[in-house]
Amino acid sequence: MKISLLGYGKMGHEIEQIALERNHNLIYKINFDNKDFTPNVKSENTDVVIEFTQPDQAMENILYCLENHIPIVCGTTGWLDKLEQVKTWVKKYDGSFFYASNFSIGVNLFFHINQYFAKVMDKYPEYDLKMQEIHHIHKKDAPSGTAITLADGILKNYSQKNKWTDAPSEDKKDLYIESIRTDSVPGTHTVRYENEVDYIELTHLAHSRKGFATGAVHAAEWLHGKKGIFT
């Protein structure tokens, strides 16, 4: 399969390595320094684009790929408030689009466990719930897309909280997500239920970016030849 990368930072390099290991061809590797090459990415030379950039660049890249009938896998977070606009584009251009807040297989298992855990803990209101996410200092959005997905999964199954917040709140119905930016941490997410006698904690800790990159390449392989919007 012929893959082009929009975004060739640390994640892009990891994706490149996985793609080559899986016998794919890397056609273009475009970053901020050579973004003028983006118009060279065409459906004639690229089967799928994998996009890992920044929130302010993602919408432009998504629209470009859909307009030019290039399937796109998007791993950038921080743009989901514009998802309805993207859905309109996918329909308008009969496009192929795959997005996720996190492409790691382990994190997606964590999402499922988190929802089940919330459903069980909803029967025990004596426990309070807190969340924390830790990432490297270069991550622009906070809370992370992964943390928001975890929070959304909790809110669907846990009646003790009404909404998530990114700042401490006096309202006990608010689910506070603490965001920490430090060093080169790939990503750590923790969901913690606590009362005065004990606590129960779920944590996913990424050792490296390899899991995210592997999942993104799998998504690209799956998307090839399909139409619509997927996650």
Side-chain angles (χ1 to χ4, degrees):
M1 194 166 67
K2 295 177 288 187
I3 297 174
S4 287
L5 303 179
L6 295 184
Y8 191 54
K10 292 179 179 178
M11 268 301 302
H13 282 79
E14 289 280 358
I15 291 167
E16 176 184 32
Q17 182 175 340
I18 298 298
L20 292 175
E21 287 174 359
R22 296 179 67 81
N23 298 315
H24 298 303
N25 296 317
L26 272 294
I27 307 303
Y28 287 102
K29 297 174 283 188
I30 296 175
N31 211 359
F32 183 80
D33 294 336
N34 66 339
K35 65 179 182 179
D36 291 343
F37 280 82
T38 300
N40 294 328
V41 180
K42 300 291 185 182
S43 60
E44 294 82 7
N45 58 39
T46 298
D47 293 319
V48 181
V49 159
I50 301 180
E51 201 271 0
F52 274 83
T53 58
Q54 300 295 335
D56 58 342
Q57 300 168 12
M59 291 295 286
E60 180 180 339
N61 290 333
I62 293 166
L63 178 58
Y64 174 82
C65 289
L66 294 174
E67 283 180 328
N68 288 277
H69 307 289
I70 309 166
I72 175 172
V73 171
C74 180
T76 304
T77 58
W79 60 269
L80 280 179
D81 56 325
K82 302 179 180 68
L83 180 58
E84 291 306 313
Q85 177 64 67
V86 172
K87 289 180 178 178
T88 300
W89 292 341
V90 173
K91 185 175 181 179
K92 178 180 179 180
Y93 297 108
D94 190 27
S96 305
F97 181 63
F98 193 119
Y99 75 97
S101 62
N102 197 306
F103 282 90
S104 161
I105 301 300
V107 166
N108 281 274
L109 291 171
F110 189 48
F111 288 156
H112 287 289
I113 295 167
N114 171 63
Q115 291 192 49
Y116 175 75
F117 195 22
K119 190 179 296 185
V120 171
M121 294 305 295
D122 193 39
K123 301 170 186 176
Y124 301 92
E126 64 268 26
Y127 284 87
D128 191 26
L129 169 59
K130 295 179 181 177
M131 289 182 58
Q132 183 187 80
E133 57 99 353
I134 307 172
H135 281 87
H136 53 87
I137 58 175
H138 302 293
K139 186 168 179 60
K140 299 294 177 66
D141 55 316
S144 68
T146 301
I148 292 172
T149 300
L150 287 167
D152 288 343
I154 289 168
L155 295 174
K156 290 176 184 176
N157 296 280
Y158 189 72
S159 64
Q160 314 303 323
K161 301 291 183 182
N162 288 333
K163 67 180 189 298
W164 65 263
T165 67
D166 58 2
S169 172
E170 296 294 326
D171 189 343
K172 290 188 176 181
K173 286 286 188 176
D174 288 346
L175 171 55
Y176 170 45
I177 304 175
E178 180 185 15
S179 297
I180 298 173
R181 299 291 175 262
T182 180
D183 301 328
S184 57
V185 177
T188 301
H189 294 83
T190 299
V191 176
R192 179 167 174 152
Y193 295 83
E194 183 171 12
N195 64 17
E196 62 182 11
V197 297
D198 58 12
Y199 70 83
I200 309 170
E201 188 173 271
L202 288 176
T203 296
H204 179 276
L205 187 152
H207 295 304
S208 71
R209 294 177 174 83
K210 185 176 182 180
F212 312 132
T214 302
V217 174
H218 277 289
E221 293 168 348
W222 183 88
L223 184 65
H224 184 45
K226 295 181 174 66
K227 295 285 187 180
I229 186 166
F230 309 96
T231 189

